[in-house]
Amino acid sequence: MGKNPSFSQVLPTVAIPIATVADMVAPQHFSAGALAISCLVFLLFQRRHIASGIKRTSLALALLTGVAVVMLDQPLAALEKGLRIGALIASLLISVSLMSKASLRVPHMRKVMSDLYAIPRGQRPLALGIGAQFLGGFLGLAGLTMMMDMAAQRDHLSSREKIADFSAISRGYAALALWSPMYSNMSIVLTMYEGIAWTDVLPYALTISVIFIGLGALIERLALTRDKTESTGAGSIADVLKDGIPIIGLMLCFLGFMMWAANLLNASISAIIIVSMPFIAWLLNVWKPSDVSQRWRSGGRQLRQDLLGQGAIAGEVLLFLVSGCAGTVISQVIPMSLIEPLAQLTSHSPMGASMLVMVAIVILSGTSIHPMLCAVLVGSSLTPTLLNLPPIAHLCAVLVGWGLAIIVTPFSVLSMMAARFSGMPVLTVSLRANLVFVAICLVGAAMILGWAI
C-alpha cells in the first residue's frame, strides 16, 4: 500500500469506531444503520483476510438467525442490539490493537517479560498470573501473545513446565477478563444490564480475580511438590518489580484517567477507551519514532500503517457481529416452557442460580459454540428476574462463566494460540490443563456470589 497510506485507505477501519461512539452517544435507528454500513464496508474491503472456516461458521449462524428472527415480534430491535454488541467488540479490538502495537515497540516491555521467566518455577505461576493482569490489562491480547511467545522460546523446559507456564497465562486471562475494560467481555455484558456501571462490578470482579490467581498458583505448587522437581531460576520477583514498576504505574494512571473521564463526561468507559487509545498510541509512536529526525510526522505515519494492518481482525469482526445477532435473536425465541423449569430448580438459592449460569456457559462452549455467543445466549435466556438473582450477581456469573469457558474449551482463540505457541495438542493446553481449575473456580465463584451479593 505504500509507506505513507492516505486517509482514504484507512477510512473503512476508522469508520467503525467513529460510528460506534456516535451510536453510543445518541442511539437511534439511523445511527444503527450507519453502524451496519461501516461494518459491512470494512468486511468487504478486508474479505481476503477472512478464513474459510470463519466464513462457513458465520454463514451457518446467519442462516439460523434468519430463520429465528421471523418468529419475533420486534425483529429489528433484536438485530440492532446484536449489531451494537458486535460493533462494540470490533471498535475495542481496533483501538486496543493500535495501543498494543505502539507499546510493543518499547524495548522495556521485552525486558520485563524476560525477568518474569527468570523467576524460579515454584514462584513463576503466581508471577505470570499477576503479570498477565498488567501486561494483558495494558496491552490487551497482544500482551498475552507476547507472554506466550516468550514462553515458547524456552525450549529447554520439560513438557510439564511448559504446560504450567501456559496454564498460568491462560488462568491469568480468566482473572483479567473479569475486571479489565480492555477486553470486550465486560463491555458486552454491561450492555445487557441497564443502570450498572463498570465501577459497580469492579469490587466483586477483583475479589474473584484474586482468588483465581491464588488458586492457580496453589494448584501448580502442589503439582511441583508431587513431581519433586528442583525449582530453578536465576531471577527474582524483586527484579520484575524493579523493571515493571513504570509499566504498573502507567497502567494504574491510565485506568484512573479512564474512570475520571467516564465520570466527568457521564459516558461509558468503553467509549473512553475507543476514543483515547488511538491518541495515546500516536503519542507512543512519537516517543519511539521510526525516524527520529521527523518525530511527529513519523508517529502519524506509523499510526496510519497500524490502522492499515487491522484487516487481520476481519474474521473476528465478522464472527462477533454474527454471534452477537444470533445470541440476542435465538435467546428470544427459546420457549419459556423449556427455561422456566430449569430456572425454578435454583430460583430459591443465589448460589445455585449463579452456578447454573456459569456451568451453562462453560458446557455450551464445549460444544464448539463461540464463548461470546454462549454468554449472550445464557445471559439473555436465564435472566436475573427468572432466577430471582440480583443483577450484579447475575452479571458477575456471566463474566465468570465466559472467562472460564475461554480457557477450558479447545475452540477459543486463546486455546488455539496456546497450542500454536507451545507446540502441544490443543486439548492438552486447554481442557486437560484447566479442567480441575475451572471446576474449583466454579464452586468458589458460586459461593462468593451467593454469600456476598
Side-chain angles (χ1 to χ4, degrees), residues 316-329:
E316 297 172 72
V317 172
L318 175 61
L319 191 58
F320 283 134
L321 285 169
V322 177
S323 296
C325 293
T328 53
V329 170

Side-chain angles (χ1 to χ4, degrees), residues 407-410 415 426-436:
I407 70 170
V408 77
T409 178
S415 296
V426 66
L427 279 174
T428 300
V429 294
S430 57
L431 183 62
R432 295 177 186 172
N434 294 303
L435 184 59
V436 173

Side-chain angles (χ1 to χ4, degrees), residues 43-106:
L43 292 173
L44 286 174
F45 269 80
Q46 306 294 348
R47 60 186 181 278
R48 67 183 183 281
H49 295 289
I50 304 176
S52 57
I54 291 179
K55 290 179 181 178
R56 289 193 296 268
T57 302
S58 299
L59 179 60
L61 283 174
L63 292 175
L64 183 61
T65 304
V67 172
V69 76
V70 298
M71 306 177 189
L72 299 180
D73 295 331
Q74 295 181 317
L76 185 60
L79 290 174
E80 283 185 1
K81 184 176 180 180
L83 171 66
R84 288 184 169 109
I85 289 174
L88 177 61
I89 302 179
S91 300
L92 287 170
L93 280 174
I94 291 169
S95 294
V96 171
S97 179
L98 293 176
M99 178 69 168
S100 301
K101 290 182 178 181
S103 300
L104 292 174
R105 299 185 184 102
V106 180

Side-chain angles (χ1 to χ4, degrees), residues 353-354 357-358 361 389 392-402 449:
S354 300
V357 172
M358 294 183 293
I361 295 173
L389 197 62
I392 285 284
H394 189 269
L395 188 153
C396 290
V398 172
L399 279 174
V400 171
W402 189 353
L449 296 176

Side-chain angles (χ1 to χ4, degrees), residues 44-324:
L44 286 174
F45 269 80
Q46 306 294 348
R47 60 186 181 278
R48 67 183 183 281
H49 295 289
I50 304 176
S52 57
I54 291 179
K55 290 179 181 178
R56 289 193 296 268
T57 302
S58 299
L59 179 60
L61 283 174
L63 292 175
L64 183 61
T65 304
V67 172
V69 76
V70 298
M71 306 177 189
L72 299 180
D73 295 331
Q74 295 181 317
L76 185 60
L79 290 174
E80 283 185 1
K81 184 176 180 180
L83 171 66
R84 288 184 169 109
I85 289 174
L88 177 61
I89 302 179
S91 300
L92 287 170
L93 280 174
I94 291 169
S95 294
V96 171
S97 179
L98 293 176
M99 178 69 168
S100 301
K101 290 182 178 181
S103 300
L104 292 174
R105 299 185 184 102
V106 180
H108 193 74
M109 296 300 301
R110 289 281 181 182
K111 178 65 169 62
V112 170
M113 280 188 292
S114 296
D115 292 343
L116 271 174
Y117 286 102
I119 293 176
R121 180 188 170 189
Q123 304 172 25
R124 201 158 60 236
L126 179 60
L128 289 175
I130 296 174
Q133 306 307 295
F134 294 99
L135 290 169
F138 188 58
L139 295 176
L141 191 60
L144 300 180
T145 303
M146 288 175 66
M147 294 181 72
M148 288 188 178
D149 188 14
M150 187 68 72
Q153 296 176 23
R154 296 165 59 81
D155 297 328
H156 63 282
L157 297 183
S158 64
S159 297
R160 183 68 190 86
E161 287 183 274
K162 278 193 174 184
I163 291 175
D165 286 348
F166 280 93
S167 296
I169 298 170
S170 297
R171 293 164 187 174
Y173 172 84
L176 177 63
L178 289 173
W179 66 266
S180 176
M182 300 289 287
Y183 293 87
S184 57
N185 302 41
M186 177 69 77
S187 302
I188 291 171
V189 171
L190 284 176
T191 63
M192 300 165 60
Y193 305 83
E194 294 184 4
I196 299 180
W198 175 64
T199 50
D200 298 328
V201 186
L202 191 59
Y204 306 105
L206 286 176
T207 300
I208 299 174
S209 296
V210 170
I211 294 174
F212 279 12
I213 295 172
L215 178 62
L218 178 60
I219 290 175
E220 293 304 327
R221 171 70 72 171
L222 293 175
L224 179 61
T225 302
R226 289 195 302 269
D227 290 346
K228 297 181 180 180
T229 304
E230 183 181 356
S231 183
T232 58
S236 66
I237 293 179
D239 295 332
V240 178
L241 288 175
K242 180 181 177 182
D243 290 327
I245 283 178
I247 295 175
I248 294 174
L250 282 173
M251 180 186 176
L252 293 177
C253 289
F254 182 66
L255 289 176
F257 162 76
M258 288 191 298
M259 293 173 64
W260 171 80
N263 290 329
L264 180 66
L265 301 174
N266 194 26
S268 74
I269 199 164
S270 299
I272 300 300
I273 292 175
I274 293 170
V275 172
S276 63
M277 281 293 188
F279 177 70
I280 298 175
W282 173 71
L283 289 179
L284 282 176
N285 289 330
V286 171
W287 180 40
K288 293 290 183 180
S290 57
D291 185 357
V292 180
S293 63
Q294 296 182 341
R295 182 180 299 272
W296 301 99
R297 182 177 297 179
S298 176
R301 183 168 59 246
Q302 187 63 66
L303 184 66
R304 290 194 297 272
Q305 289 282 9
D306 291 343
L307 278 168
L308 205 60
Q310 294 302 305
I313 68 169
E316 297 172 72
V317 172
L318 175 61
L319 191 58
F320 283 134
L321 285 169
V322 177
S323 296

Side-chain angles (χ1 to χ4, degrees), residues 170 361-372 374 401-418 426-432 434-435 438:
S170 297
I361 295 173
V362 172
I363 291 177
L364 280 176
S365 70
T367 63
S368 79
I369 300 176
H370 195 280
M372 189 201 84
C374 297
W402 189 353
L404 293 177
I406 288 175
I407 70 170
V408 77
T409 178
F411 304 106
S412 71
V413 174
L414 191 74
S415 296
M416 294 291 186
M417 191 167 66
V426 66
L427 279 174
T428 300
V429 294
S430 57
L431 183 62
R432 295 177 186 172
N434 294 303
L435 184 59
V438 168

